[in-house]
Amino acid sequence: MTSAKIIDGKAFAATIRARVSDHVTRLREEHDLTPGLAVVLVGEDPASQVYVRMKGKQTLEVGMASFEHRLDASTSQEDLLALVHQLNADPKVHGILVQLPLPDHVDSNTVINAIAPEKDVDGFHISNAGLLATGQNAMVPCTPLGSLMMLRDQLGSLSGLDAVVVGRSNIVGKPMAQLLLGESCTVTIAHSRTKNLAEVVRRADIVVAAVGRRKMIPGDWIKPGATVIDVGINRIPNGDKTRLVGDVDFDSAVQVAGAITPVPGGVGPMTIACLLANTVTACCRIHGLRPPEGLTA
Ligand code: NDP
């Protein structure tokens, strides 16, 4: 049996960040513009705190301005909306990200849909979902965008390939399926009610797993030579630490697939790199400039 190519998301993300950084320099030198990303964190969710810290650090590393707003878990929806409106109006801010999940007393959809669509660098606003679904210039959600970049890099043209997306969430599964359709794949979206999931996955040249169930896709579900993008992040207790595993059983799938992303070190690093790419894209579009090639869908 052969072993699949392991797609190095960490290295790929570094190349994306380098391109973002180059473009940030150009925007500063040629247009006196510094792209700015505002991240809003409500409450003290430990995973969210780690993500927000990483986002802030990487934003500064590529030369962009970073604005962090940490609010108490008891912050009212009204106060949160007031902050979003203030950021919408701030010319130094080109991207706004409200870290999810939000506390139960806040309606996430109301908050996300209050973000100015052109600054919605997470791509979750209904206008951006609609633009993506109709094949127009959208802000594309970061995880699917990063997954698409890796697929294009691996396969070149995706036209005519059979793709299965396992998971139908608004933040990963659905936009991923839209992107693959945009690449002229024949797309199947599977979910918890799908019958014969093994058979559905076995037909696919491209498998994107975005479920949140550890190792649920074994190697014998994978078509030989298929490209496997494992979005899942599942935390397994490991002594006093946690270990991360994906939705795909990597050890068996790597024997069958043509290429596969590991967890960690696959899709995860691409997500933040694409957030930075989206912020540059947003800055360019807001100022009527052409976004950099290769950093959008
Ligand atoms: P959601 O919980 O919102 O969605 C999970 C999807 O999986 C649902 O559509 C659900 O179906 C489907 N599902 C659940 N059980 C099964 C099953 N047995 N068979 C087939 N489908 C099933 O998760 P997200 O989309 O937000 O995230 C998915 C995974 O990706 C998580 O592990 C998350 O941590 C990870 N993630 C990783 C990111 C990264 O940067 N790498 C970023 C975002 C997410 P149904 O709709 O029928 O309930």
Side-chain angles (χ1 to χ4, degrees):
M1 280 207 188
T2 54
S3 196
K5 175 184 169 192
I6 296 169
I7 301 172
D8 186 345
K10 247 171 130 174
F12 200 154
T15 67
I16 301 293
R17 286 197 302 274
R19 279 155 68 189
V20 168
S21 180
D22 284 351
H23 210 78
V24 169
T25 304
R26 209 170 317 148
L27 283 172
R28 185 172 301 121
E29 289 175 358
E30 294 173 15
H31 301 280
D32 198 20
L33 277 172
T34 301
L37 173 64
V39 176
V40 180
L41 173 64
V42 185
E44 258 121 54
D45 179 68
S48 295
Q49 286 189 327
V50 173
Y51 291 140
V52 166
R53 217 174 18 249
M54 280 162 60
K55 285 167 187 171
K57 183 170 169 278
Q58 293 191 22
T59 303
L60 294 173
E61 280 170 4
V62 296
M64 303 199 296
S66 169
F67 308 96
E68 266 181 36
H69 296 267
R70 291 169 183 265
L71 306 180
D72 196 83
S74 63
T75 302
S76 68
Q77 178 164 311
E78 199 186 7
D79 286 350
L80 181 54
L81 288 172
L83 173 60
V84 169
H85 291 138
Q86 182 195 316
L87 297 171
N88 284 345
D90 186 340
K92 294 190 296 303
V93 172
H94 304 95
I96 302 170
L97 180 150
V98 178
Q99 184 67 45
L100 301 177
L102 288 169
D104 289 345
H105 66 276
V106 177
D107 181 58
S108 302
N109 284 334
T110 302
V111 174
I112 298 302
N113 290 327
I115 297 172
E118 68 276 14
K119 295 190 177 186
D120 167 39
V121 281
D122 250 345
F124 297 161
H125 190 288
I126 46 169
S127 296
N128 282 313
L131 289 168
L132 178 61
T134 51
Q136 302 178 68
N137 272 344
M139 293 307 306
V140 177
C142 304
T143 300
L145 178 58
S147 302
L148 178 68
M149 285 180 182
M150 291 194 285
L151 284 167
R152 279 182 180 153
D153 186 62
Q154 182 60 32
L155 296 168
S157 168
L158 310 186
S159 180
L161 296 179
D162 280 318
V164 166
V165 180
V166 189
R168 57 174 163 177
S169 72
N170 289 335
I171 64 173
V172 189
K174 282 183 199 152
M176 187 74 235
Q178 298 286 0
L179 288 172
L180 291 167
L181 202 53
E183 299 289 311
S184 299
C185 291
T186 303
V187 183
T188 304
I189 307 176
H191 46 75
S192 65
R193 309 291 174 89
T194 297
K195 292 188 181 136
N196 300 326
L197 183 59
E199 289 310 311
V200 172
V201 173
R202 268 188 203 116
R203 286 199 297 270
D205 305 303
I206 294 170
V207 179
V208 180
V211 177
R213 288 169 69 103
R214 64 166 148 156
K215 300 186 180 185
M216 70 162 283
I217 300 181
D220 67 0
W221 289 17
I222 305 292
K223 177 174 170 178
T227 303
V228 178
I229 303 291
D230 191 353
V231 178
I233 297 178
N234 305 288
R235 292 182 164 76
I236 312 282
N238 188 17
D240 55 355
K241 293 190 173 157
T242 53
R243 190 167 63 88
L244 300 185
V245 300
D247 291 343
V248 176
D249 177 30
F250 183 85
D251 292 342
S252 58
V254 77
Q255 305 296 328
V256 191
I260 184 168
T261 59
V263 177
V267 176
M270 288 297 286
T271 297
I272 299 187
C274 287
L275 173 68
L276 305 176
N278 274 351
T279 305
V280 170
T281 297
C283 178
C284 292
R285 286 185 184 155
I286 287 167
H287 289 278
L289 303 168
R290 229 161 63 119
E293 296 278 323
L295 295 181
T296 48

